[in-house]
Amino acid sequence: MSAPVHLDSVDLHILELLRADGRRTVRDIARLVKLSPAPVRRRIARLEESGIITGYTITTDQAKLGQGLQAVTELRFTGDTDIHDIVEFASTLPEVDEVLTLTGDVDALVRLHVDSVDDLQKVVNRLRRKGLVCSRRRR
């Protein structure tokens, strides 16, 4: 594990602004943190290079995309399955939105979106073929 990076109040404010809107312009951030754009651009670059900012993302309305069913699937690994391999595999499935690893009886939770219960079963079966035991809950 790498050492924590020291962040001052301006860095924290920049992160807060980017969390609220990842498309916010450097000029807008600079105005809000009361700096000129050049140092804000350098700070954002430093936050990216240090690994604090790991990427930018969007959220989507799955129902408007025709993928209205969201589900959470519990994963329990069999044998000595490497958790990183499972996370990597599950993350490649287009239906998977998020993989959370846990301690305890359940090893991971997979949040996913599908068109139907039948599609959900297909995804669960793909996970099972990878050596997992799954149970599912719909919402």
Side-chain angles (χ1 to χ4, degrees):
M1 190 156 150
S2 60
V5 177
H6 173 73
L7 302 178
D8 63 17
S9 61
V10 175
D11 292 327
L12 294 172
H13 193 188
I14 290 170
L15 288 172
E16 177 184 322
L17 292 168
L18 287 171
R19 276 190 206 106
D21 181 0
R23 292 181 51 146
R24 191 180 297 268
T25 65
V26 170
R27 183 179 304 276
D28 185 48
I29 293 170
R31 180 180 56 78
L32 293 168
V33 299
K34 298 179 179 30
L35 291 175
S36 64
V40 169
R41 193 172 290 108
R42 285 192 299 271
R43 283 174 179 260
I44 292 171
R46 181 176 51 83
L47 291 167
E48 291 169 343
E49 290 167 8
S50 67
I52 292 172
I53 295 176
T54 58
Y56 298 86
T57 189
I58 64 167
T59 58
T60 57
D61 184 331
Q62 298 302 324
K64 289 183 180 178
L65 293 171
Q67 299 171 323
L69 181 64
Q70 292 185 346
V72 174
T73 301
E74 297 175 348
L75 304 180
R76 291 180 181 87
F77 305 144
T78 58
D80 59 351
T81 305
D82 187 307
I83 194 166
H84 298 290
D85 293 339
I86 299 303
V87 170
E88 186 176 317
F89 170 74
S91 298
T92 65
L93 300 177
E95 300 87 356
V96 171
D97 293 321
E98 184 175 26
V99 180
L100 303 169
T101 58
L102 307 169
T103 59
D105 187 40
V106 175
D107 295 308
L109 293 176
V110 175
R111 188 172 56 82
L112 49 97
H113 61 273
V114 292
D115 291 333
S116 66
V117 173
D118 185 53
D119 291 335
L120 175 60
Q121 189 61 54
K122 289 175 186 174
V123 173
V124 168
N125 285 339
R126 283 192 305 225
L127 291 167
R128 283 188 175 141
R129 281 192 294 275
K130 193 64 178 176
L132 305 173
V133 178
C134 306
S135 59
R136 62 177 184 208
R137 283 184 264 171
R138 290 180 294 187
R139 70 169 208 185

